[in-house]
């Protein structure tokens, strides 16, 4: 369907070298989108590009730590030099908490490290890209897609992970604000809130039999999510079909939050 044809588009996916980010990148590339992967690990970056190319997609990777503004500005320039434009940014890079430290024992270093990646990193990644989108809009090319990867943790009390939950709740507010401010430029902004997903970030939890015995029965579809469950939402949010869909927090959790 033409409304889901992404062959004229270029998208950045931060943290696109694994997990949900890679699945999103693969889905976008399958629909013809050129993908710029930003990640800290050069080997994982190269493997992600090879995987996308093996499926017939087009991708290039740039080493980037989103907590460092200079690196995101450089990655933006490198992406523009390589592809000429950026139509969308999937700000997916993030870190999780261990769930072991009580709030009263939380250190400033723990707190600031979480926010430096999960919130500051999104700010650093999106700001230079939004500037580019606004400049394009001034020339009559009004199109932009901003997608942030938040978490279901933003909606619930998260014991021993309050710094993670707080960073993701702040990300939801940031995303909605971006949507309101930039709608006149043809830019939409939405957050995707994953539930319990089978990725490296949840590996430790999956090894906890007690957790799995309690969590999985609460998921109506009776399984953890898979990274590939996020390919469809990425395609939709990048496409023309989502042009009137903005300022939303989209929960993809197998029904967990409704049960």
């Amino acid at each position: 369907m033409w409304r889901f044809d992404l062959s004229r588009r270029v998208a950045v996916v931060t943290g696109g070298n694994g997990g949900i980010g890679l699945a999103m990148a693969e889905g976008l590339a399958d629909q013809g989108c050129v993908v710029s992967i930003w990640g800290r690990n050069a080997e994982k970056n190269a493997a992600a590009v090879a995987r996308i190319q093996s499926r017939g997609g087009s991708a290039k990777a740039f080493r980037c730590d989103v907590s460092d503004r200079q690196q995101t500005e450089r990655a933006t320039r490198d992406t523009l030099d390589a592809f000429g434009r950026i139509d969308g940014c999937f700000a997916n890079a993030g870190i999780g908490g261990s769930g072991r430290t009580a709030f009263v024992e939380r250190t400033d270093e723990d707190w600031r490290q979480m926010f430096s990646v999960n919130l500051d990193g999104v700010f650093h990644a999106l700001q230079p890209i939004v500037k580019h989108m606004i400049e394009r809009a001034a020339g009559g090319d009004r199109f932009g897609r901003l997608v942030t990867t938040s978490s279901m943790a933003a909606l619930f009390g998260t014991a021993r992970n309050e710094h993670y939950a707080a960073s993701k709740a702040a990300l939801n507010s940031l995303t909605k604000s971006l949507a309101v401010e930039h709608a006149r430029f043809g830019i939409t902004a939405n957050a995707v809130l994953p539930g319990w997903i089978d990725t490296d970030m949840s590996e430790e939890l999956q090894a906890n039999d007690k957790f799995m015995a309690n969590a999985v029965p609460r998921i109506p579809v009776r399984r953890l999510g898979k990274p590939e469950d996020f390919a469809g939402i990425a395609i939709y949010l990048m496409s023309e079909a989502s042009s009137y869909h903005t300022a939303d927090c989209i929960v993809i959790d197998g029904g967990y939050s409704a049960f």
Side-chain angles (χ1 to χ4, degrees), residues 18-51:
I20 290 173
L22 178 54
M24 286 180 164
E26 289 177 327
L28 296 171
D30 286 347
Q31 296 300 312
C33 188
V34 175
V35 179
S36 175
I37 291 174
W38 296 4
R40 294 183 296 181
N41 187 308
E43 291 184 2
K44 288 181 66 177
N45 287 352
V49 169
R51 181 165 161 171

Side-chain angles (χ1 to χ4, degrees), residues 37 69 84 88 132 160 163-164 200 208-209 220 222 229 231 241 247:
I37 291 174
R69 170 177 290 281
H132 161 72
R160 297 177 180 264
H163 57 334
Y164 176 76
D200 291 345
N208 185 322
D209 292 339
R222 292 299 189 272
D229 291 323

Side-chain angles (χ1 to χ4, degrees), residues 45-58:
N45 287 352
V49 169
R51 181 165 161 171
I52 290 171
Q53 291 176 339
S54 72
R55 298 160 62 106
S58 178

Side-chain angles (χ1 to χ4, degrees), residues 146-148 170-180 189-191 247-248:
L146 309 178
V147 182
T148 60
L171 185 56
N172 292 351
S173 293
L174 170 63
T175 304
K176 291 183 178 183
S177 298
L178 292 173
V180 172
N190 294 282
D248 197 5

Side-chain angles (χ1 to χ4, degrees), residues 119-133:
L119 187 61
D120 296 352
V122 174
F123 170 51
H124 294 156
L126 292 184
Q127 191 175 55
I129 290 175
V130 171
K131 286 180 180 178
H132 161 72
M133 291 176 174

